[in-house]
Amino acid sequence: MSVVTIERKVLEKNDEIAATNRLLFKERGIYVINIVSSPGSGKTSILECTLERLVGKIRLAVIEGDVQTDLDARRIIRYKVPAVQIVTRGGCHLEANLVRDALAKIDLEGLQFLVIENVGNLVCPANYDLGEDRKVVVVSTTEGDDKPLKYPAMFRNAGILIINKIDLLPYVNCSMARLRENALAVNPGLKIFETSCTTKKGIPEWCDWILSQTPPRD
Amino acid sequence: MSVVTIERKVLEKNDEIAATNRLLFKERGIYVINIVSSPGSGKTSILECTLERLVGKIRLAVIEGDVQTDLDARRIIRYKVPAVQIVTRGGCHLEANLVRDALAKIDLEGLQFLVIENVGNLVCPANYDLGEDRKVVVVSTTEGDDKPLKYPAMFRNAGILIINKIDLLPYVNCSMARLRENALAVNPGLKIFETSCTTKKGIPEWCDWILSQTPPRD
């Protein structure tokens, strides 16, 4: 039995569980995003800005994935939002079974929007469906404009791209036009947001889009 | 046969080939570093600054690892240094056999210093020995000061830490003291350099250290 065979079986098993998660989300009317990026691109900061605007408008919950520590979940619970931390202990991505287990710890009643923040890794999480509606890939301007070309799978499998840290553009070697062009060359269907968690630019547009996916309930 | 067993066998096989690589480097007196980081931390930029100072002083070669594209090797050959690009086509880390195969394309005669630039990934390359003398982990100030705690294996297995993009410190939410403290908590033996490829601060100290490991030959 080769490593490739094992890997295919792992992915098949993962896809089955992801399909079950997706069915559960659909039955309950929960819109789910899976946020992926390099370490330090600002996934948790974007999430904090998002919660700041949306808490009280829609019912949200967060699943945090990290290799080690519960630092991110601690940042999230300050917003009075249910948060579950998954610690992979060295694992380089979340898998659908970990999300299924985390769901057991969240009250899904009335929930409208679930954010799954993946492990910081621009390679491995690309291949693992968690049952989400959309993968949202975040890339920060400080990482340069070539990342979509160098890590194409992630940009190909995502529906949304958030270009973060746009406030740092004057200080870094990154062309916004080239970054957009490279991303759209890999995936012409990408919907792109540009944000800064420092100046809050672009955050309202991003939050409005979330609200358009999760109509308020009575 | 479980996935864990397969993984252990892959690692054992890798370690065997890494030991052979290491023996070859030792016999020829080549000092070898394996540079690892998140995507966009500045590995290739640090390498460019390094080549700018060291070409003509010692004999160098570079092995570039990327998921896709030969963009990095193209940046390197402008410095008239032998460079071989490994494209992993989705693979999330370099393995010792890929380095062994790349070595066959480099003239090792008289070589003093070999740089292996790994795939941008702060998780998976931590476990794969390539035969290097030292793993050098790069983290940029824009990634925040919590990364050593969240991705401890990489910082534990590295001998050197380069904190890059220090010119951006005024604009980002990163405490240099906390970053150093977190890194040393994970690995008290880390030797730390602080660099900026924009202002070139810290680059001379880093290059002097390389020269101290690779004494000029007659």
Side-chain angles (χ1 to χ4, degrees):
Chain A
M1 196 181 283
S2 72
V3 175
V4 175
T5 313
I6 286 275
E7 194 178 312
R8 201 173 56 228
K9 289 202 172 175
V10 169
L11 281 172
E12 276 172 12
K13 180 73 187 162
N14 182 75
D15 284 350
E16 275 173 37
I17 301 173
T20 312
N21 290 349
R22 185 167 282 116
L23 194 65
L24 175 72
F25 298 143
K26 196 157 188 147
E27 281 171 358
R28 291 189 168 265
I30 306 169
Y31 193 81
V32 183
I33 62 171
N34 171 8
I35 309 193
V36 292
S37 81
S38 306
S41 300
K43 293 186 294 305
T44 315
S45 296
I46 290 170
L47 193 43
E48 288 176 309
C49 294
T50 306
L51 295 178
E52 211 170 271
R53 287 185 75 91
L54 294 188
V55 167
K57 290 188 183 159
I58 53 172
R59 283 202 48 199
L60 311 103
V62 175
I63 295 175
E64 281 291 341
D66 275 293
V67 172
Q68 203 57 267
T69 80
D70 62 351
L71 294 173
D72 286 353
R74 286 195 211 183
R75 285 168 64 179
I76 296 308
I77 55 173
R78 290 187 299 201
Y79 296 85
K80 315 284 179 205
V81 165
V84 176
Q85 177 79 50
I86 300 173
V87 175
T88 65
R89 300 190 185 285
C92 55
H93 60 273
L94 291 183
E95 297 189 14
N97 65 329
L98 296 173
V99 170
R100 179 194 57 197
D101 297 349
L103 287 173
K105 297 180 189 158
I106 298 175
D107 179 10
L108 301 176
E109 193 58 42
L111 195 65
Q112 293 171 274
F113 184 51
L114 174 67
V115 181
I116 305 168
E117 184 182 335
N118 219 308
V119 171
N121 184 333
L122 208 50
V123 188
C124 312
N127 299 318
Y128 289 84
D129 182 12
L130 305 179
E132 72 273 4
D133 288 282
R134 293 287 180 101
K135 265 197 185 65
V136 177
V137 59
V138 180
V139 68
S140 68
T141 58
T142 59
E143 296 164 46
D145 46 42
D146 59 355
K147 294 303 163 288
L149 303 179
K150 293 173 76 178
Y151 303 87
M154 196 64 98
F155 292 82
R156 200 177 298 126
N157 295 347
I160 313 280
L161 165 62
I162 298 181
I163 303 175
N164 193 32
K165 306 191 189 179
I166 54 171
D167 55 300
L168 296 179
L169 271 170
Y171 314 111
V172 296
N173 187 10
C174 174
S175 151
M176 189 62 112
R178 209 173 308 126
L179 177 48
R180 292 182 76 106
E181 186 185 302
N182 288 340
L184 292 171
V186 170
N187 180 354
L190 271 176
K191 183 171 178 60
I192 304 179
F193 294 92
E194 300 179 3
T195 59
S196 162
C197 297
T198 304
T199 67
K200 305 285 196 283
K201 195 157 179 241
I203 296 293
E205 291 79 0
W206 159 243
C207 290
D208 285 348
W209 177 81
I210 294 172
L211 288 176
S212 74
Q213 306 299 316
T214 54
R217 287 182 194 155
D218 300 330
Chain B
M1 195 181 283
S2 72
V3 174
V4 174
T5 313
I6 286 276
E7 194 178 313
R8 200 171 59 228
K9 288 200 175 180
V10 168
L11 281 171
E12 277 171 12
K13 181 75 186 159
N14 182 75
D15 284 351
E16 274 174 37
I17 301 172
T20 312
N21 290 349
R22 184 167 283 116
L23 194 66
L24 174 72
F25 298 143
K26 194 153 191 154
E27 280 170 359
R28 292 192 167 262
I30 306 169
Y31 192 80
V32 183
I33 62 170
N34 170 8
I35 308 194
V36 291
S37 81
S38 307
S41 301
K43 294 186 294 304
T44 314
S45 295
I46 290 170
L47 194 42
E48 288 176 310
C49 293
T50 305
L51 296 178
E52 208 170 272
R53 286 185 76 91
L54 294 187
V55 166
K57 291 189 183 160
I58 53 173
R59 283 203 46 200
L60 312 104
V62 175
I63 295 176
E64 282 291 340
D66 275 294
V67 172
Q68 204 57 266
T69 78
D70 63 351
L71 294 172
D72 285 354
R74 286 195 210 185
R75 286 169 63 179
I76 297 308
I77 55 173
R78 291 186 300 199
Y79 296 86
K80 315 284 180 205
V81 164
V84 176
Q85 177 80 52
I86 301 173
V87 175
T88 65
R89 300 192 185 283
C92 54
H93 59 274
L94 291 182
E95 296 189 14
N97 63 331
L98 296 172
V99 170
R100 179 194 59 199
D101 296 349
L103 287 173
K105 297 180 190 160
I106 299 175
D107 179 10
L108 301 176
E109 193 60 41
L111 195 65
Q112 293 171 274
F113 184 50
L114 174 67
V115 181
I116 306 168
E117 184 183 336
N118 219 309
V119 171
N121 184 333
L122 208 50
V123 188
C124 312
N127 299 319
Y128 288 83
D129 183 13
L130 305 178
E132 72 273 4
D133 288 285
R134 291 287 181 101
K135 266 197 182 69
V136 177
V137 58
V138 179
V139 68
S140 69
T141 58
T142 58
E143 296 164 47
D145 47 40
D146 59 355
K147 295 303 163 286
L149 303 179
K150 293 172 76 178
Y151 303 87
M154 196 64 99
F155 292 82
R156 202 177 297 126
N157 295 347
I160 313 278
L161 164 63
I162 299 180
I163 302 175
N164 193 32
K165 306 193 190 178
I166 55 171
D167 56 299
L168 296 180
L169 271 171
Y171 314 112
V172 295
N173 187 11
C174 173
S175 150
M176 189 62 111
R178 208 173 308 127
L179 177 49
R180 293 181 75 106
E181 187 184 301
N182 288 340
L184 292 171
V186 169
N187 181 354
L190 271 176
K191 184 172 176 60
I192 304 179
F193 294 93
E194 300 178 2
T195 59
S196 162
C197 296
T198 305
T199 68
K200 304 283 194 282
K201 196 157 179 238
I203 298 292
E205 291 79 1
W206 159 244
C207 289
D208 285 349
W209 178 82
I210 293 172
L211 288 175
S212 74
Q213 306 298 316
T214 55
R217 289 181 191 154
D218 300 332

